[in-house]
Amino acid sequence: YAIYKTQKKDFRYIYYLAKCLLDLHTKEKDGIAKSLFLDFLSSENKLQWEEERAQAWNYIAEIDISNKEYDIAIKYLMNGLIDNPQRKEIYIALATAYMYKGDYQKALFWVSLGNLLPNKSTLLFTTPRDTMLKTMQIICSCYFNMKQFKEYREAYTKLTDEFPDYNFTLYRPSLPS
């Protein structure tokens, strides 16, 4: 109703609707959410701010990563970097896309770059602990797939020390002695 009432003059409502649809985690709703985020990003609306735009690019990329469209996701994430190069989540999402793509060196590059950035205060909802978990999972996965087992063991130990109650069966494969 708010979108109708403002006659699309305030595109934040489109952003909020898109995020709600994304949170439903269905392919159909993801497609609608992506379309709404793209409408939001293409608007001439001056009410948007860099962080909001970067987060929208990140959400779109999240949809594409879940659809195994890694190259498209990477392009969207690069747009997010243009809008806000200090947004740590963009770097971690780039690492995720490259990891799933099988380019582990690039994944580690983007994780390393993202880890150089501080967790800055923002009005947007962020989950620094989840970002840390995702970062550590990417590092473990990359080292394991690159068969760098010494680095993997170190990363896995750090991961389980930081998150002792988390189930890491995915990251605990049998390793050669």
Side-chain angles (χ1 to χ4, degrees):
Y1 175 74
I3 296 169
Y4 170 78
K5 190 174 178 181
T6 63
Q7 299 174 346
K8 287 191 172 182
K9 290 179 183 150
D10 186 349
F11 274 75
R12 287 177 296 188
Y13 294 114
I14 292 174
Y15 175 91
Y16 301 142
L17 176 60
K19 178 60 175 129
C20 289
L21 290 168
L22 183 65
D23 287 343
L24 295 174
H25 302 290
T26 68
K27 292 273 185 206
E28 178 191 356
K29 301 300 183 203
D30 284 356
I32 297 168
K34 181 177 177 178
S35 181
L36 289 171
F37 280 127
L38 288 169
D39 282 351
F40 168 79
L41 290 162
S42 66
S43 76
E44 296 297 319
N45 189 323
K46 301 301 179 208
L47 294 173
Q48 301 170 353
W49 34 300
E50 296 164 350
E51 286 183 328
E52 205 171 33
R53 290 181 57 80
Q55 191 172 47
W57 288 118
N58 196 9
Y59 289 144
I60 293 169
E62 187 179 299
I63 293 166
D64 287 323
I65 289 170
S66 72
N67 291 327
K68 299 181 181 173
E69 300 282 347
Y70 308 121
D71 291 327
I72 294 169
I74 289 165
K75 289 177 186 177
Y76 286 135
L77 291 164
M78 291 299 178
N79 287 333
L81 283 179
I82 291 167
D83 280 332
N84 188 351
Q86 279 83 42
R87 187 151 178 80
K88 186 180 226 171
E89 290 82 0
I90 298 284
Y91 294 85
I92 304 309
L94 276 162
T96 302
Y98 279 112
M99 179 192 69
Y100 283 127
K101 196 175 168 182
D103 194 335
Y104 305 115
Q105 290 293 338
K106 284 185 183 171
L108 290 172
F109 169 79
W110 287 107
V111 161
S112 298
L113 222 51
N115 281 338
L116 295 175
L117 298 172
N119 290 324
K120 57 186 256 188
S121 61
T122 177
L123 295 175
L124 297 176
F125 179 77
T126 60
T127 54
R129 190 158 169 80
D130 288 349
T131 302
M132 182 194 316
L133 174 62
K134 189 181 281 188
T135 299
M136 295 171 88
Q137 288 173 326
I138 291 167
I139 293 168
C140 281
S141 181
C142 288
Y143 283 139
F144 183 79
N145 285 296
M146 292 166 59
K147 299 185 180 357
Q148 294 181 5
F149 298 121
K150 180 182 176 206
E151 291 83 355
Y152 166 79
R153 280 191 177 110
E154 290 170 10
Y156 180 79
T157 299
K158 186 175 178 184
L159 179 66
T160 55
D161 287 349
E162 189 67 38
F163 299 93
D165 297 329
Y166 197 82
N167 181 2
F168 293 109
T169 53
L170 176 63
Y171 300 97
R172 202 177 324 150
S174 299
L175 296 179
S177 303

